[in-house]
Amino acid sequence: MSFAGPPRLRPPRHPVDPRARRWWTAQALLTVSGPLLLTALVLAVLCVLFFAGALPWLLPLLVVVLVAPACAYAVLMPRRRYAVHAWEVGTYSLYAAGGWLWQKRRVAPLSRVQTVDTLRGPLQRRYGLTTLTVTTASTAGNIRISGLCDADADALAERLGRAAQATVGDAA
């Protein structure tokens, strides 16, 4: 007797906007990769100015410890996030997938939607993107869909808002 296991949940149908890759790359450069590369540059310059004898061992160490991880993060993270982030609204539920190292999939009934919020930070506005946060009557927390184009986010927020209003009684 063989046990086939539970059926697998297919990925949501709608990927986020392709501009999200550029937005995530810019975020990486501003928050992680940029500071690491700047630190490597400052250490290399200080080494050249004050400790020239340390160059043969310090420069390879800087490349391995700071430069290579910074470049890998700036290149790989946006691609992986774009491959994972997706969303879908069905007749009765909202389905969202996100993450890049730790991936999360959430399915929430539309009858449990309480609020729908949009966030457009300065960097997101530069790329014409929006993050949609859906609060549900669940202890699992909010559902966040990052990297939506402004038009899709507005239409999705309106649709989810209508679904929340159509629910009879309290969603809690």
Side-chain angles (χ1 to χ4, degrees):
M1 181 163 130
S2 68
F3 180 69
R8 293 185 51 88
L9 189 61
R10 67 164 174 75
R13 295 187 194 277
H14 305 290
V16 296
D17 194 278
R19 293 174 290 183
R21 283 183 290 206
R22 292 195 307 266
W23 170 51
W24 288 321
T25 301
Q27 273 186 323
L29 291 173
L30 289 172
T31 60
V32 176
S33 297
L36 286 176
L37 293 172
L38 183 61
T39 301
L41 179 65
V42 167
L43 289 173
V45 167
L46 288 175
C47 182
V48 167
L49 293 176
F50 300 109
F51 308 106
L55 280 175
W57 64 267
L58 185 62
L59 288 181
L61 181 66
L62 289 176
V63 167
V64 169
V65 173
L66 295 175
V67 175
C71 293
Y73 181 77
V75 170
L76 298 177
M77 181 273 296
R79 289 181 185 188
R80 186 68 188 142
R81 281 183 84 171
Y82 183 75
V84 172
H85 279 68
W87 61 275
E88 180 176 346
V89 177
T91 307
Y92 302 106
S93 63
L94 168 66
Y95 179 23
W100 68 285
L101 281 181
W102 289 271
Q103 298 175 12
K104 184 176 187 178
R105 291 185 178 180
R106 292 270 315 269
V107 179
L110 293 178
S111 63
R112 305 291 282 179
V113 171
Q114 293 179 330
T115 63
V116 181
D117 302 310
T118 58
L119 172 69
R120 291 180 177 107
L123 200 54
Q124 284 179 302
R125 284 194 306 267
R126 159 91 171 71
Y127 292 102
L129 298 172
T130 300
T131 296
L132 193 76
T133 303
V134 180
T135 305
T136 63
S138 166
T139 58
N142 301 334
I143 297 174
R144 292 187 61 198
I145 305 171
S146 299
L148 294 172
C149 76
D150 291 341
D152 285 348
D154 292 340
L156 184 56
E158 185 176 325
R159 181 174 178 190
L160 292 173
R162 281 195 315 267
Q165 288 175 346
T167 302
V168 178
D170 186 21

